[in-house]
Amino acid sequence: MPPTPEKETKSQEPPAARASTLDSLKHPILILLIGSAMSAFVVPWLSARINDRRLLEEARLQQCRNILASGSETDRKLNTLLVTMEMFVKDNASLPAIPEQERAHMRTELSQLYRDFDSQAWWWFSRLSTENKLLRIDYNSQALSAITQRYQDNVIAATNAIDKLWTLCVRKTVKPSDPILRDTATASRTELSRLQLERQSLIGQLVYLFAPKEPTIQRLLTQP
Protein backbone atom coordinates (compact mmCIF):
# COMPACT_ATOMS: atom_id res chain seq x y z
CA MET A 1 0.00 0.00 0.00
CA PRO A 2 1.59 3.33 -1.05
CA PRO A 3 2.35 5.79 1.78
CA THR A 4 0.02 8.69 2.26
CA PRO A 5 1.29 12.18 1.47
CA GLU A 6 1.36 13.01 5.21
CA LYS A 7 3.55 10.00 6.03
CA GLU A 8 5.76 10.77 3.06
CA THR A 9 6.26 14.31 4.41
CA LYS A 10 7.29 13.06 7.87
CA SER A 11 9.51 10.30 6.56
CA GLN A 12 11.15 12.56 4.06
CA GLU A 13 12.33 15.23 6.53
CA PRO A 14 15.18 17.08 4.88
CA PRO A 15 18.67 16.25 6.22
CA ALA A 16 19.25 19.93 6.78
CA ALA A 17 16.34 20.05 9.27
CA ARG A 18 17.70 17.10 11.21
CA ALA A 19 21.14 18.64 11.29
CA SER A 20 19.64 21.88 12.55
CA THR A 21 17.94 20.01 15.40
CA LEU A 22 21.20 18.33 16.39
CA ASP A 23 23.05 21.61 16.21
CA SER A 24 20.48 23.21 18.51
CA LEU A 25 21.11 20.50 21.11
CA LYS A 26 24.80 21.44 21.00
CA HIS A 27 24.10 25.08 21.60
CA PRO A 28 26.20 26.42 24.51
CA ILE A 29 23.21 27.99 26.19
CA LEU A 30 21.26 24.72 26.15
CA ILE A 31 24.27 22.84 27.46
CA LEU A 32 24.66 25.44 30.18
CA LEU A 33 21.01 25.09 31.16
CA ILE A 34 21.31 21.30 31.35
CA GLY A 35 24.48 21.60 33.43
CA SER A 36 22.82 24.10 35.73
CA ALA A 37 19.84 21.79 36.21
CA MET A 38 22.13 18.90 37.11
CA SER A 39 24.09 21.09 39.51
CA ALA A 40 20.91 22.34 41.13
CA PHE A 41 19.13 19.01 41.56
CA VAL A 42 21.17 15.90 40.73
CA VAL A 43 24.47 16.81 42.42
CA PRO A 44 22.85 17.90 45.74
CA TRP A 45 20.76 14.72 45.72
CA LEU A 46 23.83 12.55 45.21
CA SER A 47 25.76 14.48 47.85
CA ALA A 48 22.91 14.10 50.33
CA ARG A 49 22.78 10.35 49.70
CA ILE A 50 26.54 10.02 50.20
CA ASN A 51 26.50 12.14 53.35
CA ASP A 52 23.55 10.22 54.74
CA ARG A 53 25.32 6.92 54.20
CA ARG A 54 28.50 8.27 55.78
CA LEU A 55 26.58 9.51 58.81
CA LEU A 56 24.85 6.15 59.15
CA GLU A 57 28.20 4.32 59.06
CA GLU A 58 29.57 6.70 61.69
CA ALA A 59 26.50 6.07 63.85
CA ARG A 60 27.07 2.32 63.59
CA LEU A 61 30.72 2.69 64.58
CA GLN A 62 29.85 4.92 67.53
CA GLN A 63 27.22 2.47 68.71
CA CYS A 64 29.82 -0.30 68.61
CA ARG A 65 32.21 1.85 70.65
CA ASN A 66 29.46 2.53 73.19
CA ILE A 67 28.69 -1.19 73.52
CA LEU A 68 32.36 -2.04 74.08
CA ALA A 69 32.75 0.75 76.63
CA SER A 70 29.58 -0.20 78.52
CA GLY A 71 30.49 -3.87 78.65
CA SER A 72 33.98 -3.04 79.91
CA GLU A 73 32.55 -0.72 82.56
CA THR A 74 30.24 -3.44 83.85
CA ASP A 75 33.17 -5.87 84.07
CA ARG A 76 35.24 -3.28 85.94
CA LYS A 77 32.53 -2.56 88.51
CA LEU A 78 31.93 -6.27 89.18
CA ASN A 79 35.65 -6.85 89.61
CA THR A 80 35.92 -3.90 92.02
CA LEU A 81 33.21 -5.42 94.19
CA LEU A 82 34.95 -8.78 94.31
CA VAL A 83 38.45 -7.36 94.87
CA THR A 84 37.16 -5.28 97.80
CA MET A 85 35.82 -8.40 99.48
CA GLU A 86 38.92 -10.46 98.66
CA MET A 87 41.10 -7.81 100.33
CA PHE A 88 38.78 -7.76 103.34
CA VAL A 89 39.08 -11.53 103.76
CA LYS A 90 42.85 -11.46 103.33
CA ASP A 91 43.46 -8.49 105.66
CA ASN A 92 41.42 -10.02 108.48
CA ALA A 93 42.45 -13.66 108.10
CA SER A 94 44.85 -13.56 111.05
CA LEU A 95 42.41 -11.91 113.48
CA PRO A 96 40.47 -13.93 116.04
CA ALA A 97 37.38 -11.89 115.21
CA ILE A 98 36.46 -9.05 112.88
CA PRO A 99 35.61 -5.88 114.83
CA GLU A 100 32.05 -4.73 114.33
CA GLN A 101 33.36 -1.36 113.21
CA GLU A 102 35.22 -3.07 110.37
CA ARG A 103 32.13 -4.99 109.35
CA ALA A 104 30.04 -1.80 109.41
CA HIS A 105 32.61 -0.05 107.23
CA MET A 106 32.59 -2.98 104.82
CA ARG A 107 28.79 -2.88 104.60
CA THR A 108 28.89 0.81 103.75
CA GLU A 109 31.64 0.43 101.17
CA LEU A 110 30.02 -2.55 99.48
CA SER A 111 26.66 -0.77 99.39
CA GLN A 112 28.22 2.25 97.69
CA LEU A 113 30.04 0.08 95.17
CA TYR A 114 26.91 -1.90 94.41
CA ARG A 115 24.82 1.25 93.90
CA ASP A 116 27.41 2.46 91.43
CA PHE A 117 27.30 -0.90 89.66
CA ASP A 118 23.50 -1.04 89.72
CA SER A 119 23.14 2.42 88.16
CA GLN A 120 25.00 1.27 85.04
CA ALA A 121 25.04 -2.48 84.57
CA TRP A 122 21.34 -3.14 84.02
CA TRP A 123 20.41 -0.16 81.87
CA TRP A 124 22.76 0.37 78.96
CA PHE A 125 21.78 -2.74 76.95
CA SER A 126 18.05 -2.15 77.51
CA ARG A 127 18.34 1.14 75.58
CA LEU A 128 19.89 -0.38 72.46
CA SER A 129 16.64 -1.05 70.63
CA THR A 130 15.32 2.50 71.03
CA GLU A 131 18.69 4.10 70.31
CA ASN A 132 19.12 2.19 67.06
CA LYS A 133 15.64 3.08 65.90
CA LEU A 134 16.38 6.75 66.51
CA LEU A 135 19.68 6.44 64.63
CA ARG A 136 17.93 4.58 61.77
CA ILE A 137 20.26 1.60 62.16
CA ASP A 138 18.89 -1.61 60.69
CA TYR A 139 19.31 -4.63 62.94
CA ASN A 140 17.88 -8.05 63.66
CA SER A 141 15.46 -7.36 66.52
CA GLN A 142 15.07 -11.04 67.41
CA ALA A 143 18.84 -11.51 67.62
CA LEU A 144 19.15 -8.37 69.77
CA SER A 145 16.45 -9.59 72.14
CA ALA A 146 18.08 -13.00 72.50
CA ILE A 147 21.58 -11.59 73.11
CA THR A 148 20.48 -8.98 75.65
CA GLN A 149 18.41 -11.57 77.54
CA ARG A 150 21.46 -13.82 77.83
CA TYR A 151 23.55 -10.85 78.93
CA GLN A 152 21.03 -9.95 81.62
CA ASP A 153 20.94 -13.54 82.86
CA ASN A 154 24.73 -13.50 83.00
CA VAL A 155 24.84 -10.32 85.11
CA ILE A 156 22.26 -11.80 87.49
CA ALA A 157 24.45 -14.89 87.90
CA ALA A 158 27.46 -12.66 88.58
CA THR A 159 25.66 -10.76 91.33
CA ASN A 160 24.57 -14.08 92.87
CA ALA A 161 28.19 -15.24 92.94
CA ILE A 162 29.25 -12.02 94.65
CA ASP A 163 26.34 -12.12 97.09
CA LYS A 164 27.56 -15.38 98.63
CA LEU A 165 30.88 -13.84 99.64
CA TRP A 166 29.24 -10.54 100.60
CA THR A 167 26.96 -12.32 103.08
CA LEU A 168 29.90 -14.08 104.73
CA CYS A 169 31.96 -10.90 104.98
CA VAL A 170 29.32 -9.02 106.97
CA ARG A 171 27.97 -11.88 109.10
CA LYS A 172 28.97 -11.74 112.74
CA THR A 173 28.98 -15.51 113.16
CA VAL A 174 31.76 -16.15 110.63
CA LYS A 175 35.31 -16.12 112.01
CA PRO A 176 38.09 -14.63 109.85
CA SER A 177 39.99 -17.91 110.03
CA ASP A 178 37.04 -19.99 108.86
CA PRO A 179 38.06 -21.76 105.60
CA ILE A 180 34.61 -21.06 104.19
CA LEU A 181 35.64 -17.42 103.60
CA ARG A 182 38.71 -18.34 101.59
CA ASP A 183 36.93 -21.11 99.71
CA THR A 184 33.97 -18.90 98.86
CA ALA A 185 36.28 -16.11 97.68
CA THR A 186 38.09 -18.57 95.40
CA ALA A 187 34.82 -19.98 94.06
CA SER A 188 33.45 -16.47 93.44
CA ARG A 189 36.57 -15.49 91.51
CA THR A 190 36.37 -18.64 89.38
CA GLU A 191 32.70 -18.10 88.63
CA LEU A 192 33.10 -14.40 87.83
CA SER A 193 35.98 -15.15 85.46
CA ARG A 194 33.85 -17.69 83.61
CA LEU A 195 30.91 -15.30 83.41
CA GLN A 196 33.15 -12.48 82.21
CA LEU A 197 34.33 -14.58 79.27
CA GLU A 198 30.71 -15.31 78.42
CA ARG A 199 29.79 -11.60 78.61
CA GLN A 200 32.70 -10.69 76.36
CA SER A 201 31.42 -13.16 73.79
CA LEU A 202 27.95 -11.61 73.99
CA ILE A 203 29.44 -8.13 73.63
CA GLY A 204 31.20 -9.33 70.49
CA GLN A 205 27.89 -10.56 69.09
CA LEU A 206 26.27 -7.19 69.78
CA VAL A 207 29.12 -5.35 68.06
CA TYR A 208 28.82 -7.63 65.02
CA LEU A 209 25.07 -7.00 64.96
CA PHE A 210 25.46 -3.23 64.66
CA ALA A 211 28.82 -2.89 62.92
CA PRO A 212 29.01 -1.30 59.44
CA LYS A 213 28.30 -3.83 56.74
CA GLU A 214 31.54 -3.19 54.86
CA PRO A 215 33.11 -6.54 53.92
CA THR A 216 36.48 -5.63 55.49
CA ILE A 217 34.94 -4.79 58.87
CA GLN A 218 32.68 -7.82 58.87
CA ARG A 219 35.62 -10.08 58.03
CA LEU A 220 37.75 -8.63 60.83
CA LEU A 221 34.95 -9.09 63.35
CA THR A 222 34.53 -12.75 62.47
CA GLN A 223 38.23 -13.56 62.84
CA PRO A 224 39.17 -15.45 66.03
Side-chain angles (χ1 to χ4, degrees), residues 12 50 61 78 88 104 132 151 159 190 224:
Q12 297 176 2
I50 293 172
L61 283 174
L78 280 169
F88 180 77
N132 286 295
Y151 189 91
T159 59
T190 300

Tab-separated table of all heavy atoms in Angstrom, residues 12 50 61 78 88 104 132 151 159 190 224:
chain	number	residue	atom	x	y	z
A	12	GLN	N	10.191	11.941	4.964
A	12	GLN	CA	11.147	12.565	4.058
A	12	GLN	C	11.583	13.924	4.584
A	12	GLN	O	11.660	14.902	3.863
A	12	GLN	CB	10.528	12.708	2.665
A	12	GLN	CG	10.199	11.371	2.017
A	12	GLN	CD	9.495	11.545	0.681
A	12	GLN	OE1	9.283	12.673	0.226
A	12	GLN	NE2	9.140	10.433	0.045
A	50	ILE	N	25.219	10.419	49.736
A	50	ILE	CA	26.544	10.024	50.196
A	50	ILE	C	26.751	10.431	51.649
A	50	ILE	O	27.249	9.656	52.472
A	50	ILE	CB	27.625	10.640	49.288
A	50	ILE	CG1	27.542	10.023	47.876
A	50	ILE	CG2	29.017	10.414	49.884
A	50	ILE	CD1	28.440	10.694	46.864
A	61	LEU	N	29.437	2.805	63.901
A	61	LEU	CA	30.723	2.687	64.582
A	61	LEU	C	30.645	3.219	66.015
A	61	LEU	O	31.188	2.610	66.946
A	61	LEU	CB	31.800	3.442	63.799
A	61	LEU	CG	32.335	2.759	62.533
A	61	LEU	CD1	33.276	3.693	61.779
A	61	LEU	CD2	33.049	1.458	62.873
A	78	LEU	N	32.054	-4.957	88.531
A	78	LEU	CA	31.933	-6.266	89.175
A	78	LEU	C	33.256	-6.687	89.808
A	78	LEU	O	33.292	-7.199	90.932
A	78	LEU	CB	31.478	-7.310	88.148
A	78	LEU	CG	29.988	-7.347	87.815
A	78	LEU	CD1	29.740	-8.237	86.605
A	78	LEU	CD2	29.177	-7.839	89.009
A	88	PHE	N	39.324	-7.722	101.986
A	88	PHE	CA	38.779	-7.759	103.339
A	88	PHE	C	39.048	-9.116	103.989
A	88	PHE	O	39.461	-9.197	105.159
A	88	PHE	CB	37.277	-7.482	103.282
A	88	PHE	CG	36.589	-7.489	104.621
A	88	PHE	CD1	36.701	-6.401	105.484
A	88	PHE	CD2	35.827	-8.579	105.023
A	88	PHE	CE1	36.076	-6.406	106.723
A	88	PHE	CE2	35.195	-8.588	106.259
A	88	PHE	CZ	35.319	-7.496	107.109
A	104	ALA	N	30.923	-2.909	109.773
A	104	ALA	CA	30.037	-1.796	109.412
A	104	ALA	C	30.640	-0.997	108.264
A	104	ALA	O	29.923	-0.578	107.330
A	104	ALA	CB	29.787	-0.909	110.626
A	132	ASN	N	18.881	2.542	68.456
A	132	ASN	CA	19.123	2.194	67.061
A	132	ASN	C	17.969	2.584	66.154
A	132	ASN	O	18.180	2.899	64.986
A	132	ASN	CB	19.415	0.692	66.945
A	132	ASN	CG	20.796	0.351	67.468
A	132	ASN	OD1	21.807	0.765	66.920
A	132	ASN	ND2	20.842	-0.407	68.547
A	151	TYR	N	22.649	-11.747	78.191
A	151	TYR	CA	23.550	-10.853	78.926
A	151	TYR	C	22.964	-10.519	80.300
A	151	TYR	O	23.682	-10.530	81.306
A	151	TYR	CB	23.775	-9.576	78.117
A	151	TYR	CG	24.856	-8.689	78.687
A	151	TYR	CD1	26.177	-8.826	78.275
A	151	TYR	CD2	24.562	-7.725	79.643
A	151	TYR	CE1	27.180	-8.029	78.796
A	151	TYR	CE2	25.562	-6.920	80.176
A	151	TYR	CZ	26.864	-7.073	79.745
A	151	TYR	OH	27.851	-6.271	80.285
A	159	THR	N	26.020	-11.361	90.037
A	159	THR	CA	25.655	-10.765	91.326
A	159	THR	C	25.363	-11.841	92.373
A	159	THR	O	25.656	-11.662	93.559
A	159	THR	CB	24.441	-9.832	91.173
A	159	THR	OG1	23.332	-10.567	90.651
A	159	THR	CG2	24.763	-8.671	90.248
A	190	THR	N	36.462	-17.691	90.494
A	190	THR	CA	36.373	-18.637	89.375
A	190	THR	C	35.089	-18.426	88.578
A	190	THR	O	35.101	-18.393	87.340
A	190	THR	CB	36.435	-20.088	89.892
A	190	THR	OG1	37.666	-20.287	90.589
A	190	THR	CG2	36.332	-21.076	88.739
A	224	PRO	N	38.976	-15.052	64.625
A	224	PRO	CA	39.169	-15.453	66.025
A	224	PRO	C	40.191	-14.553	66.719
A	224	PRO	O	41.021	-13.960	66.090
A	224	PRO	CB	39.660	-16.897	65.907
A	224	PRO	CG	40.264	-17.002	64.540
A	224	PRO	CD	39.457	-16.068	63.668
